[in-house]
Amino acid sequence: MTRPVQVGASGGEAYLLMTDQKTALVDTGFAYCAPVMIQNIKNALGGRDLDFILLTHSHYDHVSGAPYCKDVWKNCKIVCSEYAANVFTRPGALKLMAQLNETAAEIAGVKEYEPSVSKIAADIAVKDGDTVDMGDMKLRVLEMPGHTKCSTGYFEENEKLLIGCETLGVCVPPDKDVIPCFLVSCESSIKAIKRALELKPDKLIITPYGYMEGEEPARVLNLAVTRAVEMREFVTARHRCGISEAGIARELKDKIYTERYAKYQPEGAFMLNTEIMVELLIKEYSDR
């Protein structure tokens, strides 16, 4: 396998994997980023076909470029979890994705792009233990619920390559500190991170937060566990002191939302996620 190539546009990060036999795109970013991403993919492929799109979960900022890729590479197969495949059959979910893409485009200053999100659909729905065959690479599917119910990773044993998801956390440059991002379960997230550590990956991709290798994957994954436990302990302790959920969320913002973090996530999105995590942690751990 050649080194993964970052082919996404700004705000729509995606990684291209290539073996001698097959090619695969990991996530696809926002809809408005698709034209630039597709040109980047064409440049990297050099005339080869795109065989797979591997989706890590069903959020609009990871999947919305997929239909545009299908328009160019007709035989490309969209691979995702069974849960995500079901999400893509729901008209309400597709409508919300379209609306969120419009907002993202407006924020980015893109006034015109061709909406295509409504055409997204899974070609291959996978579950834990299934394999995506890329010839020289066999990617084993890992269910990683925590960020979402449909969060999915892929692991290649020979390459020791882990394609992760935001269940593992949000990595913030330049030193790749890790911010928890569990929107359905902290307990499941910690379990998924520890499972990832047991695989001892030498290479790790977490879109849209980058590719890392060597000692970095272990450092980031260990830090992800530490940060998740720290947040759990902070929230539950403040809750026991009688601080409101809104108050705890504001305190977390003051602790976490630095100027550098603001470059990667708008304050509104950060607060929404943080409020969800605070409520979730109190429900999961307040009786323990």
Side-chain angles (χ1 to χ4, degrees):
M1 183 194 78
T2 59
R3 182 186 176 94
V5 181
Q6 208 293 86
V7 292
S10 176
E13 283 73 7
Y15 279 84
L16 185 66
L17 307 178
M18 293 181 283
T19 68
D20 288 341
Q21 299 83 21
K22 298 288 183 179
T23 64
L25 181 67
V26 179
D27 285 341
T28 65
F30 297 111
Y32 77 87
C33 295
V36 174
M37 178 185 68
I38 287 170
Q39 187 57 57
N40 290 341
I41 296 169
K42 287 180 177 178
N43 293 342
L45 288 177
R48 294 181 65 183
D49 282 334
L50 181 63
D51 296 298
F52 299 106
I53 295 173
L54 309 176
L55 299 179
T56 61
H57 62 294
S58 60
H59 279 173
Y60 76 105
D61 54 329
H62 290 255
V63 307
S64 297
Y68 301 85
C69 292
K70 290 278 286 187
D71 286 342
V72 177
W73 295 282
K74 306 295 185 184
N75 296 320
C76 176
K77 304 299 183 185
I78 295 177
V79 180
C80 63
S81 71
E82 293 177 343
Y83 194 101
N86 180 262
V87 169
F88 299 146
T89 67
R90 302 175 192 168
L94 296 178
K95 181 179 179 179
L96 177 59
M97 286 184 200
Q99 292 170 344
L100 291 171
N101 271 288
E102 288 177 9
T103 301
E106 289 174 5
I107 292 172
V110 178
K111 296 182 179 180
E112 292 186 11
Y113 70 96
E114 185 172 343
S116 191
V117 175
S118 62
K119 296 193 296 183
I120 189 169
D123 296 301
I124 302 173
V126 293
K127 60 184 183 299
D128 198 83
D130 286 349
T131 299
V132 180
D133 189 347
M134 290 188 63
D136 291 339
M137 290 202 313
K138 316 293 183 187
L139 295 168
R140 177 160 55 93
V141 176
L142 307 172
E143 292 178 358
M144 291 184 166
H147 176 60
T148 63
K149 292 180 180 179
C150 61
S151 292
T152 303
Y154 306 83
F155 184 67
E156 213 294 316
E157 181 67 41
N158 294 326
E159 292 280 344
K160 291 294 180 182
L161 167 67
L162 175 62
I163 299 168
C165 58
E166 286 172 296
T167 291
L168 305 180
V170 173
C171 298
V172 182
D175 57 356
K176 286 192 169 65
D177 194 6
V178 179
I179 309 299
C181 199
F182 42 82
L183 303 180
V184 296
S185 172
C186 176
E187 196 76 13
S188 295
S189 293
I190 292 173
K191 183 178 179 181
I193 300 166
K194 289 181 176 179
R195 182 186 186 190
L197 273 166
E198 290 172 358
L199 297 171
K200 298 181 178 180
D202 294 327
K203 304 166 187 174
L204 174 62
I205 296 172
I206 305 178
T207 59
Y209 307 105
Y211 169 75
M212 57 202 85
E213 58 187 15
E215 296 179 357
E216 260 313 81
R219 185 193 72 82
V220 166
L221 292 171
N222 277 298
L223 187 57
V225 174
T226 299
R227 294 290 187 253
V229 171
E230 286 176 350
M231 181 176 283
R232 180 188 70 193
E233 297 305 308
F234 178 84
V235 169
T236 53
R238 299 303 286 159
H239 177 65
R240 287 194 295 271
C241 290
I243 308 300
S244 69
E245 292 182 13
I248 296 171
R250 286 193 296 270
E251 289 183 8
L252 282 171
K253 176 182 177 293
D254 292 340
K255 285 169 61 71
I256 295 173
Y257 196 70
T258 61
E259 184 176 340
R260 67 179 182 178
Y261 191 91
K263 296 178 182 178
Y264 297 92
Q265 187 177 45
E267 182 177 335
F270 174 86
M271 285 305 298
L272 176 61
N273 286 350
T274 301
E275 288 163 1
I276 291 171
M277 287 192 286
V278 168
E279 180 181 4
L280 179 69
L281 284 165
I282 291 171
K283 286 181 178 178
E284 264 193 297
Y285 296 104
S286 60
D287 295 333
R288 299 189 183 188

